[in-house]
Amino acid sequence: MRKLLNKVIPHSIAAKLTAMAVAGAVFMVLVALTVLFIARAELAVERAEKAHAIVDAAWSIADGFKHAVESGAMSEDEAKARFFAAAGSMWFEGHANYLFIYDTETGLCVMNTGNPGLVGKDVRGLKDANGLPFASQMLDIAKRGEGTIRYAFPKGGDKTPLEKVAYVRGFAPWHLMIATAEYMTDLDATFWAMARTAAAVIGILL
């Protein structure tokens, strides 16, 4: 190995130091990239887990009202109305995110606080910017139990599709799909901020 290095690297201290600096820079960049992508993956998991917790909380509320119906404390129509009112008040992320609920049998949107224009409409034909029938797939997930799905959808009045991650859970007794979705744009902003910081640190070290 030493003979090979002597052939490749000139016998001057300056050249050897330069080679060491380049090798060190490459190593630091690779380490930084690895750490950054691991951090982004962990942030995405954390975002999905947050959505999971919110949906689980709404599911528990629905289950509580179902038990109230079974005990004779209220009618099923009253229980559903009170559940939809409670779920509709569950805003988070600075009043920017919310729950939405579909009927798994009819495909109708029965509650969507952030987009009330969808209520009463069959959502099974909805597709994202890439042609993914995300609403239909959400309904399929709810029928099987629970899970996550990623899709691209515009935010607010902006027509640019942005990546979203949704957590979906079915409530079989009332054939409902309870879900929430979060945009990943702020996650990307955090990622690039970390990347700029890492680049500055590497630059200073070099």
Side-chain angles (χ1 to χ4, degrees):
M1 178 63 73
R2 184 181 181 115
K3 291 181 179 179
L4 179 61
L5 288 175
N6 288 335
K7 290 180 180 179
V8 175
I9 302 175
H11 292 282
S12 70
I13 294 176
K16 289 182 178 180
L17 288 175
T18 300
M20 290 173 62
V22 171
V26 171
F27 177 75
M28 285 190 289
V29 169
L30 291 175
V31 170
L33 287 174
T34 301
V35 171
L36 285 170
F37 280 106
I38 290 174
R40 189 189 188 283
E42 290 180 347
L43 287 172
V45 169
E46 181 182 336
R47 188 64 53 83
E49 287 177 348
K50 182 189 295 184
H52 187 172
I54 292 167
V55 170
D56 281 354
W59 191 98
S60 296
I61 294 172
D63 192 51
F65 280 120
K66 180 184 75 72
H67 286 302
V69 173
E70 293 171 347
S71 67
M74 64 183 71
S75 67
E76 184 171 299
D77 287 340
E78 181 185 358
K80 287 182 178 179
R82 293 178 66 175
F83 165 62
F84 292 144
S89 67
M90 294 175 66
W91 290 86
F92 54 100
E93 297 287 335
H95 208 72
N97 224 332
Y98 50 87
L99 289 160
F100 50 95
I101 302 174
Y102 301 158
D103 187 307
T104 57
E105 290 188 348
T106 63
L108 296 178
C109 175
V110 295
M111 194 206 81
N112 190 318
T113 312
N115 193 352
L118 284 177
V119 176
K121 295 182 179 180
D122 188 340
V123 298
R124 288 173 291 189
L126 289 179
K127 296 181 179 180
D128 76 350
N130 301 315
L132 179 74
F134 66 94
S136 179
Q137 290 191 9
M138 286 180 181
L139 289 165
D140 289 339
I141 291 172
K143 290 175 184 177
R144 295 193 301 268
E146 56 188 306
T148 59
I149 181 174
R150 290 176 179 266
Y151 59 102
F153 205 76
K155 184 177 184 179
D158 191 357
K159 294 183 179 180
T160 304
L162 303 172
E163 183 185 7
K164 297 188 80 172
V165 58
Y167 193 85
V168 178
R169 186 174 182 183
F171 187 69
W174 292 346
H175 48 83
L176 297 177
M177 180 214 79
I178 305 170
T180 188
E182 296 198 48
Y183 285 99
M184 307 296 281
T185 47
D186 57 332
L187 187 152
D188 289 331
T190 301
F191 172 80
W192 287 113
M194 291 190 299
R196 287 191 293 271
T197 301
V201 170
I202 291 173
I204 291 171
L205 290 174
L206 289 175

